[in-house]
Structures are given as C-alpha cells and as structure tokens.
Amino acid sequence: MGREGEKPEFSNFSWFSMMFGAGLGVGLMVFATAEPLGLWNSNPVVISGAVAGGTEEALQSGYRYTFLHYGFHAWVIYVVTGLSLAYYAYTRDMPLTIRSALTPLFGKYVNGFFGHIVDVLGIVATILGVSVTIGFGVSQFIDGVYAVTGMEWVMNMGGDVPTPSKVGLISGLVVIMGLSIISAVSGVGRGVKYLSNLNLVMSIILLLTFVVFGSFLFAMTTYGTALVDYILHFVQLSFGAWGPQSAADFAAALPAEAQPFAEALSGAQNAWGTYDSFVAGLEGDAAALPAETLAAVYEAGNAGRQFGWQAGWTTFYWAWWIAFSPFVGLFLARISKGRSVREFIIGCVIAPALVCFAWMTILGATAIDLELSGVAEGAITGASNTNKLFATLQIMLGDGAFLSGITVMCVVLVMTFLVTSADSGILVMNTIMSGGEQETGIKHRIIWGILLTLVIGALLLAAGEENPMNALQSAMIIGALPFTMVMGLMCVALAKALYRDNLRDKHGVAGE
C-alpha cells in the first residue's frame, strides 16, 4: 500500500503498539476479567440449561463466546474499513476519507452530496463508538483512583458495591480529554506513538504479574482448549442467529396443562435469569405445577432466552466494533503506509486476536480460578465490571506495597489507554472532516476534542438515575446501524478494486 519499494513509516513495534492501543486499549483493561467472568455465568449454553453457570463445566462455553466477541470476527471488521481506506489512499493517492473507499462503486458521485453523507455517518459512528470506550474507561479510572486514594466523593457509596458517581465520572472525563487534546495537538508521530509504546510496556508488566502470581498453568490450558473450541464452532458462531419469540409462539410451545398460565410463566423467556430464579418467582396456580411441567415450560422459553441474550450481549459487541471501525480503520490506514496487503491482514487480524485471547485467558482465567477454588468467595464476581480487575489484583496479591504499586500502574495504564483512544479519535475525525488531510491545524484538533468531551458528558448526564453506561450504549447502537450498510458497500467496492487491479497487472495496464 504505497509506491513500489516504499518503506513503512513506523517500526513493527510502534505499529503494533498503536494498533493495539487504538483497537482495544482500555476495552481490554475493563473486560479482561469482566467478560470471561460474565460469560462463565451466562452464555447460550448456560441459559439453555445444558450446564450450570459459574461451574467448571461452563468454562468452555464461556470462553467460546469470549473469543467470539474479541477474536477474528471482531478484528475483521476493522480490516474491512482499514484496508479499503488504505488501498485507495496509498495506491491511487485519493483522500484518506470514508467516501474514497466507495469510489469503485459510485465513481464521481462520492465527491458530491452522497459522499458527504457517507463521511458524516462515519463521524457519527466514530463519536459514539469512542464515547462508549471512553465511558467504560473513565469508570474504571475512577474505580482505580478510589482504590489508591480512598476518595469517597468520586464514588456512589449507596449501593451494594461502590460505583463511580456522576461527579467522579465528569471529573475523570475532563482530566482524560484534556490530556487527549494535548496529545492530539502533538500529532501521531509524537504524542500517540510515544503513549502507545508506553501502553504496551505497562501492559506487558501487568501480564507478567498475572503470569508470576496468577493461575498461569490453568490459564494456558484454558487458552489451548478454548482456541480449539472456538475454531471448531467458528461457522456456527458466524451464522447462528435467533429470532424473537412472541407471546403466542411461547404459549403454543407450552405443555397443555401450563397453557392457561402462559402470562404468569413468561419469566421462562428471561435471558438474564436462571431456572431456579424462574421457579422462585412463580405465584399461585402457576407455582403449583409439577416440577417436570415447569422444566418443560422453561425449555419452551429457550428460543426467547437465546434471542434476548444474543440481542443484549453479542449484538452490543458487534455494534460497538462497527461503530469503532471508522475510527480504528482510518487510524490503521494512517499508520500502515508502506505495508503489503498480506502484512496488513495478518498484522491486524491474526496477531491482535491471539494477543486478545492470551490477555483474556491469563487475566480472566486467574479470576475464574480464584472463584472456582473458593479463595475469592464471590468478591470478584460481586464487584462492578469496571472494578473486577482491581478486585482480582487485591485477592491475588494481598495487601502490601507491591499491590499498591501495581494498582497505581493500572490506573496510569487506564489513563494512557484512554488518552490514546481519545486523541486517535480526535485525529481521525479531523482527518475525515478536512477531506483526508493528514496534517491539519491545531485549532481543528482542539475543537473536535472539546466536541467529543461535550457529547460524552451530555450522554453521561442524560442517563439520570440509570446506569450512565446504558445511555452511551444505546446511542452507540443507533450510530452503528447506518454505518453497517456503508461497510457492506465497502466490502463489495474493495473486492471490485482488487479484481480490476489484478486484471490490469496481468495485462500490463497502468492503474487509473
């Protein structure tokens, strides 16, 4: 991608560091323990009743879906956008904007109103995708600050477990975005590059801490078996989808003696409950039904549970990755000039996915092993998602200076990952809206940084008494939907461009 013989702009270490930081970064800090633990307790195999959640038997299916959400499926989304943009920007000298990737299909029309719409859809998806990532990251940052300093004013102490307060979240957001704007002003070659290298070094230190003090043998065994299981189920995971189960369909599937109580038994369709909680919630005549009938009722609601789970978990992840893809794809294109297509695909799909798998198993499996062995006594599972990493470290390391040091490093790592994600997002939005210019004015970067801060802050405050993350997630899913259609067109356009260029090469015809 570039002129013949052109050298890559960045070293392999810096390239992978920036790709890792922008593509995942703080998402791995938040979900390295939260995702495996959550899926260990609830996944399609568990809610079908085949195995019990939170048991050794549920480990395989839990990691199957963990790898689905962070594996090859996810990174391919980035590659579709990144390769489409990089190919036309560096082989045809076209602007590094979303619209350029659709040139093989729409030709000169991408330079008009249609092209503006495509770029705006990319900007909206980017703003909302980055907002969710920063929202989760700021929440974990505040959890870490509380763990280190004990400052209660940044936390809501009224619930079962302490959670970041609105004041804490907004304060953390202002700090993070201020640093992000400073980094974005310095550009990719300085601020983003150096922060990304620092992130990778601290990530390796955190990983080695879990290798030395965690359940490394258990984690590596889990890694091997989970990777094989993921590959064996790859096709089913790729194309398996559930449709909604209507009240009429549910009632028709019930045993005859249970049909008069269909409405009272609708809890069998709840994806977030268990069979025991379903039975415990029944009242009156429905509760008096025989145990074998209730088991059949729960089985009848399986389709509804599967749809609800897939819609609430996997669909959220796909929306998140798609909303993130204009940002990460364009950023990957920006740092990949001089790389071959083969190098880009291997470097942006296989290598990051394998690193994600290792990260999820070394950190996540240690947390699961602490719960399985009874050492944690539910303390990790009971912690909020953004605090699970700190809860795992405390139980694994015990109290002492080393725990304090690692906790402080994790807080710094979360902060630098957040800054990297935010400043990369600012640079990408600025690039798109400036018509593909990679070197833009400082004022533009500052304005986009302020706008991003205001959007995230408004969504956090708009949640009211609800979980602030819910407002961010809902907005992000809305933003990702229209860009999904753009991505479909990008796939077709890239295939057409590669095919036509291959024909030109065979016949010795120069490219347009």
Side-chain angles (χ1 to χ4, degrees), residues 93-453:
D93 292 323
M94 296 188 69
L96 193 58
T97 60
I98 305 296
R99 69 175 74 188
S100 297
L102 300 183
T103 302
L105 296 181
F106 300 102
K108 64 181 181 181
Y109 294 105
V110 300
N111 296 320
F113 182 71
F114 175 74
H116 297 328
I117 292 176
V118 170
D119 281 346
V120 168
L121 290 177
I123 284 289
V124 171
T126 297
I127 289 175
L128 297 176
V130 172
S131 296
V132 171
T133 299
I134 293 175
F136 277 118
V138 168
S139 181
Q140 188 177 44
F141 175 67
I142 296 302
D143 274 319
V145 169
Y146 172 67
V148 173
T149 66
M151 293 189 301
E152 294 189 0
W153 67 270
V154 300
M155 303 295 287
N156 177 8
M157 309 299 291
D160 295 333
V161 294
T163 56
S165 65
K166 292 285 181 64
V167 173
L169 289 172
I170 297 299
S171 301
L173 177 64
V174 171
V175 171
I176 295 300
M177 293 307 298
L179 293 172
S180 301
I181 292 171
I182 293 172
S183 179
V185 166
S186 66
V188 175
R190 295 175 62 188
V192 179
K193 173 185 170 182
Y194 295 140
L195 276 177
S196 297
N197 290 347
L198 177 63
N199 290 343
L200 194 57
V201 170
M202 287 193 292
S203 298
I204 292 171
I205 293 173
L206 179 60
L207 202 64
L208 289 175
T209 301
F210 274 84
V211 168
V212 174
F213 297 98
S215 308
F216 184 63
L217 181 60
F218 177 73
M220 287 297 94
T221 304
T222 302
Y223 186 108
T225 56
L227 182 58
V228 172
D229 181 69
Y230 171 60
I231 293 171
L232 291 176
H233 289 86
F234 190 85
V235 175
Q236 180 266 320
L237 291 170
S238 302
F239 299 102
W242 292 86
Q245 185 183 40
S246 66
D249 290 339
F250 173 65
L254 293 174
E257 63 270 32
Q259 289 183 355
F261 315 109
E263 186 175 351
L265 296 168
S266 61
Q269 296 176 287
N270 178 19
W272 314 114
T274 63
Y275 175 73
D276 290 338
S277 65
F278 158 66
V279 173
L282 296 176
E283 297 178 350
D285 293 337
L289 291 170
E292 59 271 16
T293 302
L294 292 176
V297 168
Y298 196 69
E299 176 60 30
N302 182 56
R305 294 195 302 277
Q306 297 290 349
F307 172 75
W309 188 94
Q310 194 173 62
W313 207 316
T314 300
T315 302
F316 159 69
Y317 266 105
W318 289 162
W320 194 0
W321 288 87
I322 290 170
F324 226 44
S325 66
F327 151 51
V328 179
L330 197 148
F331 186 74
L332 292 181
R334 169 69 181 81
I335 64 175
S336 299
K337 187 175 184 180
R339 306 274 174 182
S340 67
V341 172
R342 181 184 296 108
E343 188 178 14
F344 186 87
I345 293 174
I346 293 174
C348 298
V349 176
I350 298 176
L354 293 177
V355 170
C356 285
F357 297 161
W359 189 272
M360 288 286 181
T361 47
I362 293 174
L363 275 67
T366 294
I368 290 174
D369 189 43
L370 290 170
E371 289 287 2
L372 272 176
S373 62
V375 175
E377 297 181 339
I380 302 174
T381 304
S384 65
N385 280 344
T386 53
N387 196 39
K388 280 183 167 62
L389 174 61
F390 297 112
T392 304
L393 285 169
Q394 185 171 19
I395 294 168
M396 181 178 74
L397 300 176
D399 294 325
F402 186 63
L403 171 65
S404 300
I406 290 295
T407 303
V408 169
M409 189 198 75
C410 286
V411 173
V412 174
L413 182 56
V414 170
M415 182 179 70
T416 54
F417 266 139
L418 280 169
V419 171
T420 304
S421 296
D423 63 12
S424 301
I426 292 168
L427 290 170
V428 164
M429 289 184 287
N430 203 30
T431 298
I432 295 174
M433 296 311 290
S434 63
E437 291 292 330
Q438 296 183 30
E439 298 298 333
T440 53
I442 290 175
K443 286 190 294 186
H444 292 84
R445 302 177 194 178
I446 295 173
I447 290 170
W448 277 110
I450 293 172
L451 287 174
L452 184 58
T453 305

Side-chain angles (χ1 to χ4, degrees), residues 36-80:
L37 278 166
L39 289 168
W40 177 50
N41 285 285
S42 176
N43 64 67
V45 179
V46 170
I47 65 174
S48 71
V51 298
T55 62
E56 194 169 345
E57 291 74 23
L59 187 64
Q60 184 180 64
S61 57
Y63 266 99
R64 180 186 309 163
Y65 287 91
T66 299
F67 284 13
L68 167 66
H69 294 161
Y70 281 85
F72 305 132
H73 292 85
W75 282 92
V76 163
I77 294 173
Y78 288 168
V79 166
V80 167

